Structures are given as C-alpha cells and as structure tokens.
Amino acid sequence: MKKRIEYFDTAKGIGALLVLLGHLQGPEFFQYSPYIILMCQWIFSFHMVLFFIISGMLICYKNDTDKDLKDIAKRRFKGIMIPYFYFSFFYMTVVVVALIKKQILVGTFWLNIWYVFSMYGMNVLWFLPALFFAELLFIFLMKKLSTKKAVIVIIIQAVIGYVIAYLLRQGTYDTTIKEGAHQFATALVRPFIACSFIAIGYFAFKIINKNNKKIIEIIAAIVLLVIGGAFFLKNGAVDFRSMVFKNVFLYILCSCTTSIGIILICKNIKPFKPLKFFGVNSLIFMAVHGSETVTHYATMVAMWANQYLTRARGYICYTIIVCVILIYVVAMILLINRFAPFIIGKPFKDSYVYNIINKAKLKNKSNKQ
C-alpha cells in the first residue's frame, strides 16, 4: 500500500472547512456578519470540484486504472456508499422524529426516502453517490479505451451533461412525479460532469508529480488563485447539487484554477495537523457538520458572548459559531473512529468496543484454563 500524501489530506481539510463556512450563510448570519457574503459566494464557486480533482489525483497516484475494476468497485462501495447509507439512515431518524412531533408533513418524509434511494441525496450526502459513480466511470473508460479516446469520451459526456443540466433548469416541475423525475435525472447526470473533473485531477497530477521546484509551484499557485478569483467575480457562486453552473466555461476555469492553486499551496507548505486531521476524516466531517441543532446552539453561544463584546462583533460571533461546530465535528470523528468505524466502511474489529470484547473473551478463556 502506498504512503498517504500529506498535502492531499491538508487540501481536503481546507475543502471540508470551506464547506462548513460556505453553509453558514443566510439572514441569521448575514445580519451579524455581512462581510461573509462574498466569502460564501467564492467558496461556492469551486469547493466541490476541489474534492473531485483530488480524487483524480489519488487515482493517478495509486495507479487504480491498472487494477481490477471489480476490486476497486468493492473497495469504493465500502468506503463511499456504505457511509452514504449509514448517514442517510441517521438523517432519516431526524426526519422521523420531526414527523412524530408533527413538525413536518408525511409528504416530506417520503420525499427524503426518495432522496436516499434515487441517489439525489439528503443534504450534503449527494456528493457521495456522485463521487462513487464518477470514479468508477473514469476508471472504466481509462481501462477500456486508449487515453486519447477516453479523454474524447469524457469531454463529450461532460458536454452532454451540461446541456442536460441546462435543459432540466428550464423545465417546470409542478407535480410530485415531475419533481421526482427531475431529481433522479439530476442524480444521473452529476457523475458524468464530475468525471471530467476527476480526469483533470488525474492528468494534472502527472504534471505536478514531475515538478519539485517549490518557488515555481508557489508562484503558479498564486497565479492560479488570482485567475480563479477573476473568473469568480465574473461568474459568481454556483450549485453543483442542483447543477446550476451559470456560464459553464467560466465555472470550469474558476473551479479548476482555484482548486489546483489550493493543492499546490498545500504541497509546498508545512503540514498543519488540524487540517490534516480534518482531511483524513473529511467524509465524517462533511456528513455531520450540517446539524441544525448544533448550529442553533452555536449561534446561541455566540449571541450570549455578543453582549460582552464591544469591537469586531461580527467577526467574533462568526468565529464562535464555527469553533463550536468544529468541537462537535471533532467529537463525532473521534466517536465514530473509536466506537463505530463500520459506519465509514471500516471493519468492526478496528473499533475500541471490539478490542474490549476480544480482551474479555481472552481473559475468560485464560481463567478457564
């Protein structure tokens, strides 16, 4: 097994943190911290593409295109889709509780069931099926076709995906069946678009991996980030989940230049342990950070602190909210890794509970002897 590349973990950690910051938006946040509006828009101009590009780079680094597709599919299913269904189940328990308390309608319950099994995804979980099928699609094409033909097919399917996404946005979905069909079509198209970003990451890594000149890469990273910022100012925020990309060409240029710029920065700086920790556990981070209950209490803590603040209230309140949520996220990461690693596709024998049970069995066995 190849050694983990630290700067990928750092980049994923930055990406996970940006997802958290990007989701902390709305009137309840903007009224105290209006300065974050532009930041949130910038984050939504590229943030999910960063993960797709890193995925492509990892495929290249691990030489997955030379491995057996069935074995890769099994491993990816354990590492991506098993967590998808586990976290979807946990999300559904919240929906069921809300239904019992009569806070939502029965139709909302069935809608969320449809989200899960149509692969449209509840909340941020949409990303996991898109990544799973996009990875397998890319590896399949690279294995079955020559590199040149595979690239041509990936480009064609991405173009078709963007066209379908545009056409879907023009439709009117005034019935439950029509809306359900729209969501299913969206879930089907996402992997074809995501596959193109995985391909960009795959081929970009071949270039990055050859170059070890730190100064050149840092300069390149800064240039790419500036270019990405310029494209963002032209195109603004997008929504990959709903496939709202605005100007497709500007979106591709913005998301790719910004993402690769961040990766290059991470490659050439000293690893920061908290970011690495978040990157290694980015799947759990992404799945648990959006708790409305935790966000509510984090906001209450910030408002309590607000009465004692005299300067930079917006900055401090927003920082408090982020810190409280991060404490919750870290706690969930530690709990899942220690007691329930099977949730993220790892063997139960890796858990703390299994070790305790196993030690107890061995002790009983030795006592009997």
Side-chain angles (χ1 to χ4, degrees):
M1 183 178 291
K2 287 195 172 185
K3 184 181 177 182
R4 292 187 73 98
I5 296 182
E6 289 186 330
Y7 69 83
F8 284 161
D9 290 331
T10 303
K12 286 195 293 182
I14 291 173
L17 190 59
L18 290 176
V19 170
L20 167 60
L21 296 176
H23 286 160
L24 290 178
Q25 58 175 298
E28 66 274 27
F29 299 109
F30 293 156
Q31 64 177 324
Y32 297 107
S33 309
Y35 58 90
I36 68 171
I37 296 175
L38 187 63
M39 180 191 72
C40 290
Q41 291 174 343
W42 173 71
I43 290 170
F44 269 80
S45 71
F46 74 92
H47 67 319
M48 298 317 299
V49 170
L50 174 62
F51 291 97
F52 291 129
I53 288 179
I54 292 173
S55 173
M57 289 184 172
L58 283 169
I59 288 172
C60 184
Y61 172 67
K62 295 178 180 178
N63 297 316
D64 282 343
T65 53
D66 296 329
K67 298 175 183 176
D68 184 69
L69 185 60
K70 288 183 179 179
D71 289 339
I72 292 173
K74 287 178 182 178
R75 284 191 286 109
R76 293 290 198 275
F77 188 85
K78 285 182 181 179
I80 299 176
M81 293 309 295
I82 291 296
Y84 170 77
F85 286 113
Y86 267 117
F87 283 115
S88 293
F89 171 77
F90 296 139
Y91 280 25
M92 282 304 303
T93 58
V94 176
V95 173
V96 170
V97 170
L99 180 64
I100 293 171
K101 291 182 177 180
K102 296 183 179 180
Q103 295 173 342
I104 61 171
L105 299 173
V106 176
T108 303
F109 168 79
W110 290 113
L111 178 64
N112 281 281
I113 291 288
W114 171 246
Y115 282 171
V116 175
F117 291 102
S118 68
M119 301 299 164
Y120 185 75
M122 297 176 68
N123 205 327
V124 296
L125 297 183
W126 70 267
F127 173 73
L128 296 177
L131 177 64
F132 174 73
F133 290 112
E135 284 189 344
L136 293 187
L137 176 60
F138 174 75
I139 294 170
F140 173 80
L141 292 174
M142 292 296 289
K143 288 179 71 69
K144 297 298 182 181
L145 303 174
S146 66
T147 301
K148 185 177 180 180
K149 288 181 179 178
V151 169
I152 292 171
V153 171
I154 289 168
I155 292 172
I156 291 172
Q157 68 183 21
V159 170
I160 293 172
Y162 284 118
V163 170
I164 293 174
Y166 172 78
L167 294 175
L168 287 172
R169 291 199 304 275
Q170 309 310 307
T172 301
Y173 309 104
D174 51 3
T175 67
T176 303
I177 294 176
K178 287 182 180 180
E179 181 58 29
H182 170 231
Q183 291 158 354
F184 184 60
T186 299
L188 287 177
V189 173
R190 283 181 197 142
F192 292 100
I193 296 175
C195 182
S196 64
F197 293 115
I198 289 175
I200 290 169
Y202 179 88
F203 292 110
F205 183 74
K206 290 179 178 292
I207 299 171
I208 292 172
N209 200 40
K210 290 179 181 179
N211 182 52
N212 291 311
K213 295 181 179 179
K214 188 172 182 178
I215 299 298
I216 293 175
E217 289 192 336
I218 290 176
I219 293 172
I222 293 171
V223 171
L224 288 171
L225 290 172
V226 170
I227 292 172
F231 288 130
F232 154 66
L233 293 175
K234 286 287 185 181
N235 198 50
V238 301
D239 184 358
F240 202 117
R241 185 186 189 222
S242 301
M243 295 197 300
V244 178
F245 304 111
K246 298 180 181 177
N247 186 306
V248 171
F249 297 104
L250 291 177
Y251 168 62
I252 294 171
L253 291 170
C254 172
S255 57
C256 290
T257 52
T258 306
S259 297
I260 295 174
I262 289 173
I263 293 167
L264 285 175
I265 290 290
C266 293
K267 184 184 177 186
N268 291 282
I269 61 172
K270 188 177 180 180
F272 185 50
K273 287 186 179 180
L275 288 177
K276 276 183 58 183
F277 175 77
F278 291 144
V280 171
N281 299 283
S282 58
L283 193 154
I284 302 175
F285 189 117
M286 300 276 278
V288 305
H289 79 275
S291 170
E292 291 184 4
T293 303
V294 174
T295 303
H296 170 71
Y297 283 111
T299 305
M300 288 181 63
V301 171
M303 293 303 98
W304 172 82
N306 185 59
Q307 61 186 318
Y308 301 105
L309 305 175
T310 56
R311 294 183 180 180
R313 292 186 178 183
Y315 292 91
I316 297 175
C317 284
Y318 194 71
T319 301
I320 290 171
I321 292 170
V322 172
C323 288
V324 171
I325 295 174
L326 285 178
I327 291 170
Y328 162 75
V329 169
V330 170
M332 292 302 297
I333 289 172
L334 295 175
L335 285 170
I336 289 172
N337 281 325
R338 192 169 179 82
F339 297 104
F342 54 87
I343 290 174
I344 52 175
K346 295 180 180 179
F348 179 67
K349 64 181 181 180
D350 291 346
S351 70
Y352 179 71
V353 175
Y354 177 86
N355 289 330
I356 291 176
I357 295 171
N358 198 39
K359 286 179 180 178
K361 286 182 178 178
L362 291 172
K363 188 176 181 180
N364 289 333
K365 188 176 180 180
S366 62
N367 290 336
K368 288 179 180 179
Q369 292 176 346

